Amino acid sequence: MNRVIVVGADGSAAATAAVEWAADDTARSEARLRIVHVVDRSPYETAKFSNPGPGDAVALSAESVLADAEAVARKRQPGIEVASELFQGSAAAVLRTHAGKAAEIVIGGRGIGGFPGAVLGSVSTHVAGHAHGPVVVVRSDPDTAHGEIVIGLDDYHAGEPALAYAFEQAILRASTLRAVYAWQPPAHAHIPESAHDLDEIHAARCWIAAGVLQRRRQQYPQVQVIEDVRRAHPVDALASVSAKADLVVVGSQGRGAIGTVMLGSVTLGVLYHARSSVAVVRP
């Protein structure tokens, strides 16, 4: 088992759901699970907290968080290999450093310290926007299964890693894969004098979607694929099908220099509006 799945734990309910999700995926993929907790001492720049020693309250609390997370994982999937590790620093930075070594990073949608009513936490948004490889933001109950994985299609080669990940998840779960390709007509397409034929445009988009899927369908013939081409904004289309999906997979074309710009507007929109867990796969 050379694959390692890394999950962030902080003692929150969202992180507990992420640990359960990661344990299930570890069992499905015959991987190893590594639970990571990060202590950020920057808010406690006093001698009592910044100089850890015997009986250090912050360290003791961190060890308790890891022990509880391990117990959750072992109870969820007794047969998996579980290890845990404590780090100090920024949670987002530590999880980013693990991205290149892990098969996937799993995090809760909002951890401790999140604003009431907030959909996403700053750590989940940052890691999803900067880490290379799959980052799963757990937003749904791991015990609820619909038997469907959703992939948001585009016609760029950079979306290939996301497509491969979606097919792999469909195989591991024995699920149907719904491939959603959303398109919007040109702003002037509804003008009577316009030469645009919306039916022709839709047919062309269907042809593009089929072409994007062709190689993977040949590679994974056992996966049942639903080609779902919609005249809608991509965020609206993916959010609408997310309620009956176990996971929504999106690529990210964002190339911004800082912050959530790295995600791209569609990916960020899906993270905020999807009702299921979301996997962001950056090339």
Side-chain angles (χ1 to χ4, degrees):
M1 295 189 297
N2 295 322
R3 289 167 52 90
V4 177
I5 292 175
V6 173
V7 59
D10 65 5
S12 66
T16 298
V19 170
E20 292 177 333
W21 196 100
D24 289 347
D25 217 37
T26 298
R28 278 190 291 264
S29 57
E30 299 183 347
R32 291 176 289 127
L33 181 62
R34 189 180 189 194
I35 303 172
V36 171
H37 178 62
V38 184
V39 173
D40 184 358
R41 293 179 179 271
S42 58
Y44 312 106
E45 292 300 333
T46 65
K48 179 179 179 180
F49 292 107
S50 58
N51 296 310
D56 172 48
V58 175
L60 290 175
S61 175
E63 290 171 2
S64 176
V65 167
L66 282 176
D68 289 346
E70 278 200 46
V72 168
R74 295 184 192 281
K75 181 179 180 180
R76 182 79 178 186
Q77 294 291 344
I80 63 174
E81 181 180 338
V82 184
S84 61
E85 192 166 1
L86 177 62
F87 293 88
Q88 295 196 40
S90 161
V94 170
L95 289 170
R96 280 180 60 187
T97 62
H98 282 79
K101 308 170 187 176
E104 66 189 16
I105 303 290
V106 183
I107 46 181
R110 184 179 71 247
I112 289 176
F115 294 103
V119 179
L120 286 176
S122 59
V123 172
S124 54
T125 308
H126 182 93
V127 175
H130 290 82
H132 294 282
V135 175
V136 180
V137 179
V138 176
R139 297 274 308 282
S140 53
D141 184 353
D143 289 322
T144 302
H146 299 282
E148 185 168 286
I149 302 296
V150 171
I151 173 70
L153 293 183
D154 60 37
D155 48 3
Y156 296 100
H157 292 298
E160 269 294 307
L163 192 59
Y165 179 82
F167 268 92
E168 290 168 4
Q169 282 289 320
I171 288 176
L172 290 173
R173 297 164 179 264
S175 297
T176 298
L177 179 63
R178 180 178 295 274
V180 177
Y181 188 109
W183 65 277
Q184 292 179 288
H188 56 282
H190 298 286
I191 300 175
E193 295 80 9
S194 172
H196 290 283
D197 185 318
L198 295 182
D199 289 336
E200 287 185 5
I201 296 175
H202 186 82
R205 299 306 185 197
C206 290
W207 182 83
I208 291 173
V212 171
L213 289 166
Q214 182 178 10
R215 186 168 72 88
R216 294 296 176 183
R217 295 188 76 161
Q218 292 173 346
Q219 185 179 359
Y220 301 103
Q222 66 272 49
V223 176
Q224 179 183 353
V225 180
I226 299 172
E227 295 183 18
D228 190 344
V229 180
R230 302 186 176 207
R231 190 189 307 176
H233 189 280
V235 173
D236 294 336
L238 292 169
S240 69
V241 299
S242 67
K244 295 184 178 181
D246 296 320
L247 182 67
V248 174
V249 182
V250 288
S252 181
Q253 310 302 327
R255 298 181 177 85
I258 58 174
T260 59
V261 178
M262 292 294 292
L263 282 170
S265 60
V266 171
T267 305
L268 187 60
V270 172
L271 277 171
Y272 271 91
H273 295 290
R275 297 171 63 185
S276 65
S277 298
V278 177
V280 178
V281 187
R282 299 186 68 240

